[in-house]
Amino acid sequence: MRGFGLFRLPYAEACTLVGGDVLSLTAISQLSDRHGFVVAPFAISEETPLLLISPEFVEHYAHPADIHELPEMSSLAALDYTHEGDERSDYHIDFANFHARLRKGEFQKLVLSRSIAVKRDDDETALSLFQKACACYPRMMIALTYTPQSGLWLAATPEILLGGEEGSWQTMALAGTMKYEETQRWSDKNIQEQRYVATYIIRQLERFTSQYTEEGPRTTRAGHLAHLRSDFRFSLSSDTLLGDVLQALHPTPAVCGLPKEEAYRFILQQEHHHRCYYSGFMGPLQLSLSAAEATHLFVNLRCMQIFSDGYRLYAGGGLLPDSVEEMEWQETETKLDTMRNLFIRHSS
């Protein structure tokens, strides 16, 4: 079975296509000493395995417009509408359940997500959507990836899970979401949510290194949204620790909650929908993209799965004890617009 990963890094024009056989792994720690394009789910299972696309061919393009066709794919599945239900009602039930546990003090934070089905009523191709996303979102990592196991996914994401080369590494705490404004004023809820994520990352890094720095938080823009961002740079005694570092970082509280393991299990048991590869991560791992082998793994945040007859879009938001349901619902609607905007026909 063969797959591919096509990606363009933030603030870049050039893009890269990686393709080859697909390897299924059972644990994130197994990514140590591997090379290729990673497609990781929120939760590894038989249905959603951790996938690594071998770099049997690596092609570079100066601009997304220079790509004229994608590698061959097997037939895409049809979109399943049988479990759609009432989106707002399902969210209301999930919010009440999640929020009650937060108010009881069982969790500091929980991330509640949802997905929507969109019927295909256009002649857009996966490649044209990738090219459109590159034009619309220059500050984000844009990735289009396909494997027979995962299907076809498009992502536009600002959040680095792990990046770097030659022993110099970085990750980030990205949390808090508002519509972007020239003068951004952050609520206490957003500031607290971001601090939870930053504190968690520090504790995980301290398991592997004492040599790290933190910068931030600062406001960063991602399309029509703004987030609070702190950047961490660190060194490791050996790059063979990469898989263990990834295992420790994923899933971060930005997509899961705190305490992490308890929040992870709660989400898997209680959310109305299956996250699949949403809130997992993807990107090149130890690939020769320039003079050195580089890693650029991003959390799969604003994303959708592409089917033969439609799309499934995903979004989520962090809940704290003082969260308000309608505000959280509107935040997910705003996040869904990142992908929805790619379908809008602009009149000339």
Side-chain angles (χ1 to χ4, degrees), residues 27-311:
I28 293 173
S29 58
Q30 294 173 1
L31 290 172
S32 291
D33 293 323
R34 303 274 189 176
H35 304 262
F37 190 94
V38 178
V39 184
F42 175 69
I44 299 172
S45 68
E46 192 171 314
E47 183 182 0
T48 55
L50 169 62
L51 303 168
L52 181 67
I53 302 169
S54 300
E56 294 173 22
F57 66 85
V58 179
E59 299 174 358
H60 302 285
Y61 299 88
H63 192 274
D66 296 336
I67 309 168
H68 301 297
E69 62 179 2
L70 296 172
E72 184 177 347
M73 295 177 277
S74 57
S75 297
L76 298 179
L79 188 53
D80 182 4
Y81 295 95
T82 57
H83 302 291
E84 282 306 288
D86 182 337
E87 295 170 16
R88 189 64 183 87
S89 176
D90 288 348
Y91 187 86
H92 172 74
I93 294 168
D94 282 351
F95 181 91
N97 186 15
F98 280 47
H99 198 233
R101 302 299 183 94
L102 288 162
R103 295 293 294 270
K104 288 179 182 178
E106 295 179 28
F107 300 98
Q108 293 174 281
K109 173 185 177 178
L110 286 169
V111 175
L112 175 58
S113 68
R114 51 184 282 248
S115 65
I116 62 169
V118 178
K119 291 183 179 180
R120 186 191 293 270
D121 63 355
D122 54 41
D123 57 359
E124 293 282 5
T125 66
L127 179 55
S128 68
L129 288 169
F130 171 83
Q131 292 166 333
K132 190 179 291 187
C134 287
C136 290
Y137 305 120
R139 298 175 176 85
M140 298 191 207
M141 191 264 212
I142 310 299
L144 179 69
T145 182
Y146 167 80
T147 72
Q149 301 95 320
S150 65
L152 183 61
W153 288 76
L154 177 66
T157 174
E159 184 175 357
I160 298 169
L161 181 66
L162 182 67
E165 57 186 50
E166 295 183 336
S168 179
W169 301 99
Q170 69 176 118
T171 186
M172 67 168 62
L174 191 78
T177 303
M178 297 178 66
K179 286 188 176 181
Y180 178 79
E181 299 175 354
E182 289 297 330
T183 304
Q184 206 76 45
R185 299 185 64 179
W186 291 99
S187 67
D188 290 341
K189 183 261 185 185
N190 280 301
I191 293 171
Q192 183 180 15
E193 184 183 349
Q194 198 274 343
R195 196 62 233 165
Y196 279 151
V197 179
T199 300
Y200 169 83
I201 289 175
I202 289 171
R203 289 174 178 167
Q204 299 313 307
L205 291 181
E206 287 176 342
R207 295 169 51 188
F208 301 96
T209 182
S210 60
Q211 300 179 23
Y212 69 87
T213 61
E214 177 185 3
E215 295 181 6
R218 61 184 175 85
T219 297
T220 187
R221 183 177 180 180
H224 59 295
L225 299 175
H227 304 285
L228 280 169
R229 168 177 171 171
S230 294
D231 291 286
F232 298 87
R233 299 188 183 279
F234 60 98
S235 59
L236 296 172
S237 59
S238 170
D239 289 352
T240 60
L241 294 171
L242 283 185
D244 295 320
V245 173
L246 284 167
Q247 184 90 51
L249 290 176
H250 174 74
T252 73
V255 296
C256 184
L258 288 170
K260 173 181 170 176
E261 293 303 324
E262 291 84 348
Y264 177 76
R265 289 193 295 269
F266 181 79
I267 288 168
L268 291 178
Q269 293 167 0
Q270 301 297 328
E271 267 189 345
H272 257 86
H273 76 130
H274 192 326
R275 292 192 179 192
C276 298
Y277 289 86
Y278 161 70
S279 65
F281 58 93
M282 61 175 58
L285 174 69
Q286 299 284 71
L287 282 186
S288 297
L289 302 177
S290 55
E293 291 183 343
T295 294
H296 300 282
L297 298 176
F298 282 71
V299 181
N300 193 16
L301 288 182
R302 318 285 180 259
C303 66
M304 64 180 174
Q305 186 174 3
I306 302 173
F307 294 87
S308 61
D309 58 346
Y311 314 93

